[in-house]
Amino acid sequence: MLRTRLCEILGIDVPIILAAMGTATSAEFAASASNEGALGSIGSLLRPFTAVQRDIDAVRELTNRNFAINHTPPTLDADAFRHTLAARPPIISFALGDPGELVRKAHDVGSKVMIQVTTVAQAIEAAERGADVIIAQGGEAGGYAGFVSTMALIPQVVDAVSPIPVVAAGGIFDGRGIAAAFMLGAVGVNMGTRFLASKEAPIGDAWKAAIVEAHSEDAVKIELLNDIQPLPGTAGYGTVSRSIRTPFIDQWATRREAARQEREHLLRNIQEKSQAGRRHEVFVTSGQTCGGIKEILSVAEIIRKLTAEAEIALTSAAKMMSG
């Protein structure tokens, strides 16, 4: 069994976290990961309070294992956070901005706290806030991320915040990536794109198909989105989202000033297409790992495959070093 210190801290069986991914989230999705011994996460970013409330209330009916509820300080929904505190989840996570006093409030209800960062300076700040676990996210990641690569970021963060455990995120899609994260000093991984290409992921089939069919170079940073919807990208940690290229992105990426002038119209267009199940026509959130993902599997199959591959990779590395 693939176990690290993270398993003891978070009360899980395998050191794998299903990332909280904005609107690509649900209680059912989180529970499918938690029930396999990983840590499922429920996201709140840009979601209505009623949807977040429903997931928080439903998840304990779907799993008796630990899970996390994620909040983003730059876009914090006060009602959703109050409901989270009332639910006293095992873990509360934060991303995209300094949570400040929110960490103390989470600890006061007995929750462990994870904070996702994109730079060493942010990691040090997270440690000072009292984070129990720090997720260091490299720029290869999908969704809102920074610019420093995972390979460069993880060991620097590990050195800066020791002995606080560090989880690696960005650029990991198989067991070899998990083994590599361990070699960099991480005690676990936080994965998004690999799980988006799963049967349980609450996104459209066209989005899943786009991930499987894409090459890594198709997943590009879209400054355009910060022009149209400045929060959370331009606030907090100053992140930029990554998406597989679409005709919408190609049309507007080089016309950013025009996009800023048409902000309300374009944002309404994005929202309407998302609500109609056609989000893949505008943004297809994905990390650069899309190039290595070739099939849509169940969450259980993904977790079992990841752990088996990681164990093989670690054993092979040990044999290689022993000659």
Side-chain angles (χ1 to χ4, degrees):
M1 178 70 73
L2 191 70
R3 289 186 66 84
T4 69
R5 185 159 61 107
L6 186 71
C7 299
E8 305 303 323
I9 294 170
L10 300 183
I12 55 180
D13 293 337
V14 293
I16 298 171
I17 300 171
L18 163 62
M21 295 177 283
T23 55
T25 189
S26 71
E28 290 78 8
F29 193 25
S32 69
S34 293
N35 286 334
E36 292 301 318
L39 183 73
S41 299
I42 294 171
S44 62
L45 177 63
L46 304 178
R47 300 181 68 204
F49 166 66
T50 53
V52 179
Q53 180 185 41
R54 178 263 173 199
D55 283 343
I56 293 172
D57 293 346
V59 68
R60 280 199 169 99
E61 299 298 321
L62 301 169
T63 185
N64 61 3
R65 306 302 302 273
N66 283 357
F67 58 90
I69 299 174
N70 177 263
H71 290 276
T72 54
T75 62
L76 185 72
D77 182 320
D79 290 334
F81 189 65
R82 277 193 293 269
H83 196 73
T84 296
L85 294 178
R88 298 176 179 266
I91 298 104
I92 296 177
S93 62
F94 298 100
L96 306 183
D98 172 22
E101 282 297 299
L102 301 179
V103 174
R104 179 188 57 78
K105 292 180 180 181
H107 279 153
D108 284 348
V109 300
S111 300
K112 299 280 189 175
V113 172
M114 297 192 301
I115 301 178
Q116 182 169 293
V117 302
T118 63
T119 69
V120 173
Q122 292 165 13
I124 293 171
E125 181 179 64
E128 292 171 346
R129 296 297 188 200
D132 298 292
V133 175
I134 292 175
I135 302 173
Q137 181 197 44
E140 302 96 320
Y144 288 93
F147 295 90
V148 181
S149 72
T150 302
M151 182 71 76
L153 182 64
I154 302 305
Q156 293 184 66
V157 170
V158 168
D159 290 346
V161 303
S162 179
I164 298 172
V166 174
V167 170
I172 301 166
F173 66 92
D174 65 4
R176 293 170 298 180
I178 296 175
F182 291 165
M183 295 302 100
L184 296 174
V187 296
V189 295
N190 182 69
M191 302 176 67
T193 304
R194 171 61 273 196
F195 285 113
L196 285 179
S198 70
K199 295 174 182 177
E200 293 90 341
I203 61 175
D205 290 342
W207 186 344
K208 298 179 186 182
I211 291 173
V212 172
E213 295 166 4
H215 299 290
S216 290
E217 56 269 32
D218 296 327
V220 297
K221 287 283 195 180
I222 44 174
E223 298 271 5
L224 166 69
L225 185 55
N226 285 351
D227 297 328
I228 299 171
Q229 190 173 44
L231 288 176
T234 56
Y237 291 161
T239 54
V240 177
S241 190
R242 188 181 292 280
S243 166
I244 295 170
R245 289 177 57 189
T246 65
F248 179 89
I249 292 173
D250 289 343
Q251 177 184 357
W252 289 100
T254 58
R255 303 174 58 211
R256 292 180 56 193
E257 181 56 38
R260 283 189 284 268
Q261 294 176 0
E262 295 287 331
R263 177 182 299 165
E264 292 185 6
H265 167 72
L266 294 177
L267 182 57
R268 188 165 54 251
N269 185 22
I270 293 167
Q271 292 170 338
E272 289 173 352
K273 288 191 174 181
S274 296
Q275 292 168 0
R278 297 164 54 197
R279 176 180 157 139
H280 61 280
E281 296 179 9
V282 284
F283 296 121
V284 185
T285 303
S286 169
Q288 291 181 326
T289 55
C290 59
I293 299 170
K294 303 302 182 185
E295 56 186 344
I296 297 169
L297 302 172
S298 70
V299 167
E301 289 172 321
I302 291 171
I303 292 172
R304 291 167 192 165
K305 192 168 186 283
L306 288 170
T307 54
E309 289 173 346
E311 289 169 350
I312 290 171
L314 291 167
T315 300
S316 298
K319 289 180 179 178
M320 183 186 304
M321 294 305 296
S322 67

